[in-house]
């Protein structure tokens, strides 16, 4: 059960975070192929390709920025893991749209399909990034909060670096659309399991119980072991004897 395995929960969330940032590196990893996609679907000149490739990235960022405060507000009135599961499900659907745009060929609507996928991807990631870092901080033991958050955030540079190479390799091989489809296939089970994550209190119950036992035992230890006098106090006590 996940309730008794906080390390498994941390690994589960870190993998999702890694794939999140891997997804962000796919487009920068294959600029030539995405530029060709823009020219084929929209009929623009090569000098204008970067404008539309940049538009797809902007769509992600704008939707991410808009959805973040909305998700943060919804957590106050809705179960957090329901929002997380829905957000990840939206993200998986967005990956499918982005991948299917590649197989639409040079149809005029292919770029709009891709743009919609990138925009929805920002919505899905916003739910994850709003909910998960505070959740990790809540269930991590006090002595290991920094380590747990460091492991979780290590997925950002690692995932981005993997995404560049992942996107480049698939763009040179079967096609960049497969990068998004493979990400969607990998993340679909994670999205389903996100609905069933245990509350932070269940994961931190054992460390809390241990801490309460130590706190209760502290007065007894103080009674059994009187404090050792300092050298100055010992000399003063000896000199005071008749």
């Amino acid at each position: 059960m996940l309730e008794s395995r906080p390390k498994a929960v941390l690994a589960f969330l870190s993998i999702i975070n890694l794939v999140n940032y891997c997804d962000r590196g796919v487009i920068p990893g294959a600029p030539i192929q995405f530029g060709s996609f823009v020219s084929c679907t929209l009929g623009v000149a090569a000098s204008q390709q970067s404008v539309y490739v940049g538009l797809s990235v902007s769509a992600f960022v704008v939707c991410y920025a808009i959805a973040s405060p909305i998700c943060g507000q919804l957590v106050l009135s809705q179960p957090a893991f329901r929002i997380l599961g829905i957000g990840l499900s939206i993200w998986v659907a967005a990956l499918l749209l982005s991948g299917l745009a590649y197989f639409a060929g040079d149809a005029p609507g292919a770029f709009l399909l891709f743009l919609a996928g990138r925009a929805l991807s920002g919505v899905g990631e916003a739910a994850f990034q709003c909910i998960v870092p505070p959740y990790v901080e809540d269930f991590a033991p006090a002595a290991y909060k920094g380590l747990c958050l460091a492991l979780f955030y290590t997925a950002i540079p690692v995932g981005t670096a993997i995404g560049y190479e992942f996107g480049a390799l698939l763009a040179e091989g079967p096609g960049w659309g497969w990068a998004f489809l493979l990400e969607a296939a990998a993340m679909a089970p994670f999205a389903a399991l996100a609905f069933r994550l245990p509350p932070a209190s269940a994961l931190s119950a054992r460390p809390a119980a241990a801490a309460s036992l130590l706190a209760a035992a502290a007065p007894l230890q103080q009674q059994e072991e009187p404090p050792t006098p300092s050298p100055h106090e010992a000399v003063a006590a000896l000199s005071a004897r008749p």
Side-chain angles (χ1 to χ4, degrees):
M1 295 294 293
L2 288 176
E3 285 82 354
S4 60
R5 301 182 64 187
K7 292 181 181 179
V9 173
L10 179 61
F12 174 85
L13 297 172
S14 298
I15 291 172
I16 297 176
N17 201 31
L18 185 142
V19 179
N20 270 337
Y21 281 88
C22 177
D23 175 63
R24 298 190 190 192
V26 171
I27 296 177
I32 297 175
Q33 290 81 358
F34 279 100
S36 299
F37 169 72
V38 168
S39 292
C40 291
T41 55
L42 298 179
V44 300
S47 59
Q48 297 296 315
Q49 291 176 354
S50 58
V51 174
Y52 293 93
V53 174
L55 180 62
S56 66
V57 178
S58 296
F60 167 85
V61 174
V62 170
C63 289
Y64 181 93
I66 293 173
S68 291
I70 296 174
C71 292
Q73 187 66 27
L74 285 174
V75 171
L76 301 178
S77 59
Q78 300 294 325
F81 298 129
R82 181 186 300 170
I83 298 172
L84 178 61
I86 292 173
L88 289 176
S89 299
I90 292 173
W91 183 51
V92 171
L95 293 173
L96 289 173
L97 289 178
S98 300
L100 291 175
Y102 170 80
F103 296 97
D106 56 357
F111 180 78
L112 293 178
L113 185 65
F114 179 72
L115 194 65
R118 301 317 297 158
L120 285 176
S121 180
V123 175
E125 286 197 32
F128 179 81
Q129 297 298 341
C130 283
I131 294 171
V132 172
Y135 173 63
V136 173
E137 188 173 3
D138 284 344
F139 78 70
Y144 297 100
K145 285 185 187 294
L147 177 61
C148 291
L149 287 171
L151 291 173
F152 175 76
Y153 284 120
T154 296
I156 295 177
V158 175
T160 303
I162 293 174
Y164 275 80
E165 191 64 23
F166 179 63
L169 288 174
L170 288 178
E172 290 289 340
W176 55 262
W178 285 103
F180 296 112
L181 295 181
L182 290 174
E183 288 173 358
M187 284 296 102
F190 286 77
L193 288 172
F195 287 97
R196 304 184 62 183
L197 281 173
S201 57
L203 292 171
S204 58
R206 291 185 177 182
S212 64
L213 289 174
L214 291 174
L220 298 176
Q221 292 178 350
Q222 292 178 357
Q223 294 176 6
E224 295 174 359
E225 300 179 4
T228 303
S230 65
H232 177 75
E233 292 173 340
V235 172
L238 291 174
S239 61
R241 291 182 178 179

